[in-house]
Amino acid sequence: RELAGQHYAIELLDLSDSFPSGDEDNTFTGNVNNEINGNWISAPTGSIHEARLKAKVKRRLRKNSSKDSGRGDSLSDNGDVVRSVVPPTSPKGKLLNRRSKMGKGRGLPKKGGAGGKGVWGSPGEVYGEDEVDVKDPNYDAEQENCVYETVVLPLDDETFEKTVTPIVQEYFEHGDANEVAELLAELNLGCMRGDVPMLAVSLALEAKASHRELTSRLLSELCGCVLTAGDVEASFHKLLKELPDLVLDTPGAPQMLGQFIARAVADNILPKSFIDGYKGRVDCEYARAALDRAAVLLRMSRWTGLRIDSLWGSGGGQRPVNQLIKEVNLLLKEFLLSGDTVEAERCLRELEVPHFHHEFVYEAVIMVLESKGDRTLQMILQLLKSLCASTVITVDQLRRGFERVYLDMADLSIDVPCAYSLLEQFVEQSFNAGVIDKKLRDLCPCR
């Protein structure tokens, strides 16, 4: 058997010499030993040659895999190397890849997403309380039973005014006293608690009548939950002392403060002895006028049944429409008697219903049609011109008032047969005076 094997190897060497020299693959085949797992085998020369070529190519691929991992080299059926056109991946992208490099798993992040930089654990994980280490050098036995609470510093004079003033001004817009009480309860007012009514009344003196009514309601709501009766009484004492300064900005401050005092006594947030305590001890004329005004109102409420709770009146948006229409008619009738345009403008502003001024224009034009006189026409025309020039009545409200008259002309002509001619005359003069524009004039109906 040994002689036969040697003879077979000699034949293989003779065959290898027949290949052309200088080829790396042919040189490699010349050194092939026909030995597999320590045993000599007899196989055709072509198949052994192909197997050695494939093994060499595989080793070459494994050697280059670490240098060029992105190149998809593969081996075809005939032993040729097939290179793909996929660009090589960068080492940085390889490092940022969180998928398992062992070829296992479903490509999910490691540790279920609980690992990595800036991650505090898997979603839904609940941590227990950390136990205190007694051997910790920073351990302090006195701090183990400490209770921590949020401490709100008390407000000083400057901080108090900057904090409470926006709260009161916002209350004038929404009128919710409960919200004001909640906001004040969150503050540490301290010794400044008694200045809350004083600040609210000072702001209301410079505001509208509806805001003064809201202030009176606010004082009544805050007394008991945020303020005490002593705080309210102390605030009015300070207001009486500062009346000379308040009169500089608000000339009618003494009368209005007297109404505030009377309203507070009627709401039982001021004692009835408040006014009597000042008798014979008042040197300031403004304070005396305020106390006299309050005393007169309280006597009128006892003798004539005057309602102190409606002393300031209700706001424009809170009154019923029928009441507003009556007040508009009274305003126009008073103007026709007095002819005072400034007083009519002031009364219209005090109604505080800018969204309802179209009713004023409507009633004014109806009075012109029903009067059948040139005096009423000229006075109403003068009033509308003055109100439009001062922007008390806007262009939109003026247009809506005239358009309402145009729509009701069919019914108005039944009671006033010459209503169409009077309306055409008034509209033409309004256009000439610059009260209305050409488009509104052209919409005027005719018989």
Side-chain angles (χ1 to χ4, degrees):
R1 293 177 62 183
E2 293 179 359
L3 292 176
Q6 292 176 359
H7 180 70
Y8 185 74
I10 292 172
E11 291 180 354
L12 288 178
L13 290 174
D14 295 339
L15 290 173
S16 63
D17 293 339
S18 62
F19 286 95
S21 60
D23 193 349
E24 181 183 1
D25 294 338
N26 294 335
T27 305
F28 173 76
T29 56
N31 299 326
V32 171
N33 296 322
N34 194 16
E35 180 180 3
I36 298 178
N37 294 331
N39 299 321
W40 291 96
I41 60 172
S42 59
T45 306
S47 61
I48 296 175
H49 177 64
E50 293 178 359
R52 295 298 181 180
L53 285 177
K54 291 181 180 180
K56 181 178 180 180
V57 172
K58 288 181 180 180
R59 286 197 302 271
R60 188 178 300 170
L61 288 176
R62 285 196 298 269
K63 182 178 180 181
N64 296 333
S65 61
S66 60
K67 298 180 181 179
D68 194 4
S69 59
R71 293 170 54 183
D73 297 345
S74 60
L75 193 65
S76 62
D77 295 337
N78 55 1
D80 297 334
V81 178
V82 180
R83 298 182 180 273
S84 62
V85 295
V86 180
T89 57
S90 63
K92 185 177 180 181
K94 191 173 182 181
L95 293 175
L96 295 178
N97 188 6
R98 294 196 172 194
R99 291 183 297 179
S100 176
K101 298 179 177 60
M102 300 298 295
K104 300 179 181 179
R106 296 171 295 168
L108 300 176
K110 296 179 181 179
K111 301 181 183 178
K117 186 177 180 180
V119 180
W120 288 8
S122 59
E125 184 176 356
V126 180
Y127 295 94
E129 296 183 0
D130 296 335
E131 296 182 359
V132 180
D133 189 5
V134 182
K135 298 181 180 180
D136 191 347
N138 296 325
Y139 172 74
D140 189 359
E142 297 179 356
Q143 296 182 357
E144 190 169 352
N145 297 325
C146 290
V147 178
Y148 297 94
E149 295 180 356
T150 302
V151 178
V152 181
L153 297 177
L155 302 178
D156 53 5
D157 295 340
E158 184 178 359
T159 310
F160 170 79
E161 187 173 354
K162 290 182 179 180
T163 306
V164 180
T165 300
I167 296 176
V168 178
Q169 291 177 345
E170 186 178 355
Y171 167 72
F172 289 158
E173 301 297 331
H174 58 72
D176 190 357
N178 293 328
E179 182 177 350
V180 178
E182 293 177 359
L183 294 175
L184 293 178
E186 295 176 357
L187 303 175
N188 187 2
L189 297 174
C191 60
M192 306 296 296
R193 189 180 303 275
D195 292 343
V196 174
M198 178 180 174
L199 180 60
V201 173
S202 300
L203 294 175
L205 293 178
E206 302 176 359
K208 304 177 183 179
S210 59
H211 295 167
R212 292 191 281 272
E213 171 65 22
L214 290 174
T215 303
S216 297
R217 295 181 184 179
L218 178 64
L219 297 181
S220 179
E221 293 289 338
L222 294 181
C223 188
C225 59
V226 178
L227 306 174
T228 61
D231 296 332
V232 178
E233 187 174 355
S235 294
F236 278 103
H237 284 310
K238 293 180 181 179
L239 286 169
L240 289 173
K241 292 180 181 179
E242 294 187 2
L243 262 181
D245 297 333
L246 295 175
V247 171
L248 298 177
D249 298 329
T250 309
Q255 289 73 24
M256 288 188 286
L257 182 58
Q259 294 179 1
F260 271 113
I261 294 174
R263 177 66 180 271
V265 173
D267 292 340
N268 297 323
I269 59 176
L270 266 183
K272 295 181 179 180
S273 60
F274 179 83
I275 301 176
D276 298 336
Y278 278 95
K279 285 185 177 180
R281 299 191 301 111
V282 180
D283 298 331
C284 179
E285 57 176 342
Y286 300 116
R288 190 183 304 113
L291 293 172
D292 291 342
R293 174 67 173 170
V296 169
L297 290 174
L298 291 175
R299 284 197 298 268
M300 290 177 64
S301 66
R302 288 196 300 266
W303 296 345
T304 63
L306 176 67
R307 295 186 59 183
I308 304 294
D309 56 351
S310 59
L311 189 62
W312 302 110
S314 56
Q318 300 176 1
R319 279 175 285 188
V321 177
N322 295 332
Q323 181 181 353
L324 288 174
I325 294 176
K326 290 181 181 180
E327 293 183 4
V328 167
N329 286 324
L330 289 175
L331 192 158
L332 290 171
K333 290 178 181 179
E334 183 180 354
F335 169 73
L336 293 177
L337 293 176
S338 64
D340 191 351
T341 306
V342 178
E343 181 65 17
E345 180 179 342
R346 185 188 65 81
C347 294
L348 184 60
R349 289 179 183 272
E350 288 183 353
L351 290 179
E352 300 180 16
V353 283
H355 59 281
F356 202 65
H357 285 173
H358 61 87
E359 180 67 27
F360 178 84
V361 178
Y362 175 82
E363 295 293 340
V365 177
I366 295 300
M367 282 190 175
V368 172
L369 299 181
E370 293 178 350
S371 64
K372 302 178 184 179
D374 187 64
R375 177 179 177 273
T376 303
L377 187 148
Q378 296 299 329
M379 292 184 67
I380 295 296
L381 181 61
Q382 179 186 358
L383 178 61
L384 292 179
K385 184 178 180 180
S386 175
L387 294 176
C388 291
S390 60
T391 66
V392 175
I393 296 180
T394 61
V395 177
D396 179 63
Q397 295 293 318
L398 184 69
R399 173 181 293 274
R400 289 182 60 186
F402 272 91
E403 289 178 350
R404 287 181 57 192
V405 176
Y406 295 166
L407 294 175
D408 294 344
M409 281 302 297
D411 297 333
L412 292 174
S413 61
I414 298 176
D415 300 330
V416 183
C418 58
Y420 281 97
S421 59
L422 291 175
L423 181 63
E424 290 178 1
Q425 180 183 358
F426 180 74
V427 169
E428 188 64 28
Q429 293 190 17
S430 299
F431 173 73
N432 295 332
V435 178
I436 62 176
D437 55 3
K438 183 177 181 299
K439 183 177 180 181
L440 189 58
R441 184 198 63 174
D442 296 341
L443 293 177
C444 179
C446 58
R447 184 181 295 277

